[in-house]
Amino acid sequence: MSDLFSLKNKIALVTGASRGLGRDMALCLAEAGATVLCAGRAAKDLETTVRAITRKKGKAAVVLLDVTNEQSVQKQVRAIIRKYRRIDVLVNNAGVIHRENIVDTATPDYRKVIETDLIGPFALAREVGRHMLAREYGRIVNISSIMAVLGRGSVAGYVSAKHGMTGLTKNLAAEFGPHVTANAIAPGYIRTELNVPLQKDKAFCAMLEQRTAASRWGNPEDLRGALLLLASDAGRYITGHTLVVDGGMTTILA
Ligand SMILES: NC(=O)c1ccc[n+]([C@@H]2O[C@H](COP(=O)([O-])OP(=O)(O)OC[C@H]3O[C@@H](n4cnc5c(N)ncnc54)[C@H](OP(=O)(O)O)[C@@H]3O)[C@@H](O)[C@H]2O)c1
């Protein structure tokens, strides 16, 4: 059974692997046997992720790349293909959030979130997807959010981008089949640097515990099962799907 979820001999590219969910996903994919290319802007932090993987006898390397810079995406994908011959798994994880009410939000701040959280994943899926299509194998996993199914005050750019990601994921599935799958994971609230302000907000934490069937914040490790399902052969007949992993938050009203 473990073969079904194995990533032995696979090459996986994970964006935003310098910290938070991306770092844990990189560790998880490496533990499942993949060589993990840890992509992002912060060389030192990416090296920390790579060291954490190699300490556990896994294989990993740093790829410096800004997902909002199309030339950097194209250049690095070409370099990876030259060196490793293929990318089997793409995890579009890099993301940012901007917290401000719509009436106060300047267009460049809104645009930055769309550029990072929606256009970046599009460009990566396009560049990597070409090679996956030619090789007739690939797994694309987009990291979305419960903000792909809900609205919430003060994060309009994020909500817009993550709703857009649902559509992007469906279209990637429609265009990339039959051998390349594209799915998304929509996490609930998982403790990372992205949501430090909310972790410190007592009223928010009380609401979260009451509104979540699991009665707690998520941890990065809580996403590992969903990730391995969608990144491995276990998920070969699942495509175009957004899998909510939120401890039940969007399932119950209170
Ligand atoms: N934590 C949660 O509760 C939660 C819930 C739902 C969805 N998510 C999603 O999960 C993903 C990861 O979130 P997180 O909580 O781990 O956030 P995080 O701790 O803030 O990490 C974000 C990662 O994205 C990278 N990144 C940002 N902009 C980038 C760019 N232009 N190019 C390359 N890398 C870039 C960051 O790298 P740098 O070091 O270069 O900034 C960092 O590695 C995001 O897509 C987020 O929307 C998170």
Side-chain angles (χ1 to χ4, degrees):
M1 185 57 75
S2 61
D3 282 354
L4 198 57
F5 294 88
S6 170
L7 294 176
K8 208 170 160 209
N9 299 324
K10 302 288 190 212
I11 307 290
L13 174 62
V14 181
T15 67
S18 62
R19 55 189 150 89
L21 302 187
R23 176 173 284 167
D24 190 70
M25 288 190 219
L27 278 157
C28 169
L29 297 175
E31 281 173 35
T35 297
V36 183
L37 307 176
C38 301
R41 302 172 296 186
K44 269 196 170 165
D45 297 334
L46 292 165
E47 276 157 22
T48 305
T49 304
V50 167
R51 268 200 307 279
I53 290 173
T54 49
R55 257 200 311 272
K56 291 186 165 184
K57 311 267 182 265
K59 285 176 263 170
V62 168
V63 173
L64 278 179
L65 156 162
D66 180 335
V67 300
T68 64
N69 179 336
E70 196 157 84
Q71 281 171 348
S72 136
V73 168
Q74 289 170 331
K75 185 172 148 237
Q76 292 297 38
V77 170
R78 270 199 302 270
I80 293 167
I81 298 294
R82 261 199 311 275
K83 184 164 180 189
Y84 297 92
R85 318 305 305 168
R86 63 191 199 279
I87 298 171
D88 300 292
V89 180
L90 166 65
V91 183
N92 266 322
N93 163 76
V96 293
I97 197 163
H98 178 81
R99 297 178 201 279
E100 205 170 27
N101 292 334
I102 289 173
V103 290
D104 299 319
T105 299
T107 307
D109 291 329
Y110 183 84
R111 189 173 280 132
K112 185 185 169 202
V113 180
I114 302 292
E115 289 276 357
T116 311
D117 295 9
L118 184 58
I119 298 178
F122 161 75
L124 270 143
R126 183 189 61 205
E127 297 305 318
V128 174
R130 280 200 194 105
H131 298 280
M132 289 178 164
L133 287 169
R135 280 190 58 239
E136 300 193 342
Y137 185 85
R139 297 277 180 271
I140 297 174
V141 184
N142 293 325
I143 305 307
S144 182
S145 162
I146 53 170
M147 293 308 146
V149 292
L150 297 172
R152 179 168 160 79
S154 83
V155 287
Y158 191 76
V159 170
S160 306
K162 297 300 188 183
H163 273 70
M165 191 174 244
T166 306
L168 173 64
T169 303
K170 287 183 178 170
N171 244 64
L172 288 170
E175 294 186 29
F176 283 10
H179 306 293
V180 178
T181 65
N183 293 286
I185 296 173
Y189 286 92
I190 317 285
R191 284 184 197 277
T192 67
E193 280 178 38
L194 188 81
N195 46 42
V196 168
L198 295 179
Q199 292 173 43
K200 289 184 180 155
D201 181 337
K202 281 195 178 138
F204 180 85
C205 291
M207 181 281 290
L208 182 146
E209 278 168 31
Q210 202 211 337
R211 218 199 125 147
T212 307
S215 266
R216 63 168 174 84
W217 278 77
N219 301 309
E221 296 80 12
D222 291 325
L223 304 179
R224 286 182 162 213
L227 175 66
L228 285 180
L229 171 66
L230 299 177
S232 69
D233 281 341
R236 63 182 166 248
Y237 202 59
I238 305 171
T239 193
H241 188 68
T242 293
L243 177 54
V244 175
V245 183
D246 69 346
M249 187 177 226
T250 51
T251 308
I252 57 175
L253 190 57

